[in-house]
Amino acid sequence: MRPGRLGELLGIELPIIQGPFGGGLSSVELAVSVSEGGGLGSYGAHILLPEEIGDLVARLKAGTDRPFAVNLWVPLDGESELQPSETDLATHVARLRPYYEELGVPAPTAADVAAWPDFDAQVDALLAAAPPVISLVMGLPPRRLVEEARRLGIALIGTATTVDEAIALEASGVDAIVASGSDAGGHRGAFLRPVRESLVGTFSLVPQVADAVTVPVVAAGGIADGRGVTAALALGADAVQIGTGFLACQESGASAVHKETLGTPGARTTVLTRLFSGRTARGIPNSFVRDMAAHEDHVPPYPVQNALMQPIRRAAGTQGRPEYVNLWAGQSAALAQESPTAGSYLADLVNEADRLLKS
């Protein structure tokens, strides 16, 4: 495998990016291990306060002198101003109260729901910390971020779920684009059209994006082994981004019950749901998703639902209760290896892809 255009842009040896995980699923150890192995390690920082971002980047820089990426979510219009009324909040809390009581955690208050990091302040903190790469999902980068990143020599990666989003991202000034197909696990990043109109499969999306833009294209979604890597490169991708496969690795921040579900027959089925965060995301269905299915259209939007569900998700992970954990996973989750180290998983990806490319 050659570094390709993305490798030349970022200074990495392998055209492989470890997907950034939000909600505490990322870890410094995982990102460092992937970067040290020649890929691009990533850390999802969208829930971090601005003052925490500088410390994060410092720890990543202390762990590796190779490139790594820090990821932020671009807020949707009006999202940062969302605050439910007391009556609405009481209704939403009542819906989840049986789960708070069963897990022994207090229900969030209005103050908990309102306490969410400011995106502009996160951007300022990230630029001040100057990681080698900044990646974004959910939207276009602010103009000042593009200009300052360029001045500082920071590479900027955007994420598209449709061809139109990819074209808009290139016009905004990003250096590379992740083409994230509907196969991908975790949150859908559609920002020009509703999610239901932006569910393009990875291997349909990648060649169309490669034809539509001139910057390097990274294929993401449903890639978990060397076969997927080879297929993505054959379809015109310059590199791949792998999420679920790295989520199963020992170094990731996923709970033990989450990791134990990946790579099993139970991971063959995934669904799109708003129940855990208020934004549409792909994961393995469990009893919570099934029992609450009738409320899909009634839960509040992100970040309100995310704040309401945070104590449930954390307690369930700690208590070993997979029926209440957000089991984010892509459509190739059953291919995830059983508890490998990130280094061994990365080596397996490269070796299998090399064999296929040579044949």
Side-chain angles (χ1 to χ4, degrees), residues 317-339:
T318 300
Q319 297 175 25
R321 303 285 297 273
E323 65 269 31
Y324 301 141
V325 174
N326 49 317
L327 301 171
W328 298 147
Q331 289 187 315
S332 288
L335 295 175
Q337 298 182 18
E338 183 179 354
S339 299

Side-chain angles (χ1 to χ4, degrees), residues 281-312:
R282 183 176 294 285
I284 299 166
N286 52 16
S287 60
F288 179 82
V289 171
R290 295 187 177 100
D291 293 345
M292 294 288 287
H295 301 287
E296 279 281 355
D297 296 332
H298 306 297
V299 299
Y302 177 90
V304 177
Q305 179 69 2
N306 194 67
L308 293 173
M309 286 297 301
Q310 194 170 72
I312 294 173

Side-chain angles (χ1 to χ4, degrees), residues 45-47 70-80 116-120 122-123 126 134-143 145-146 156-160 169 172 174 187-192 279 302-303:
H46 79 278
I47 65 170
V70 177
N71 179 268
L72 291 179
W73 287 14
V74 180
L76 301 177
D77 289 341
E79 195 172 69
S80 58
W116 204 250
D118 178 73
F119 176 70
D120 289 331
Q122 287 179 320
V123 168
L126 196 51
I134 294 174
S135 65
L136 301 169
V137 292
M138 312 290 186
L140 301 174
R143 187 74 235 159
L145 172 57
V146 175
L156 197 59
I157 300 176
T159 305
L169 282 164
S172 76
V174 300
H187 287 86
R188 302 305 304 146
F191 59 89
L192 289 184
R279 272 186 168 174
Y302 177 90

Side-chain angles (χ1 to χ4, degrees), residues 246-277:
F246 281 112
L247 192 64
C249 292
Q250 294 175 13
E251 297 94 334
S252 91
S255 64
V257 294
H258 194 163
K259 293 178 182 178
E260 289 166 3
T261 307
L262 301 174
T264 70
R268 293 171 184 162
T269 300
T270 61
V271 297
L272 294 171
T273 178
R274 295 180 59 248
L275 292 172
F276 285 104
S277 72

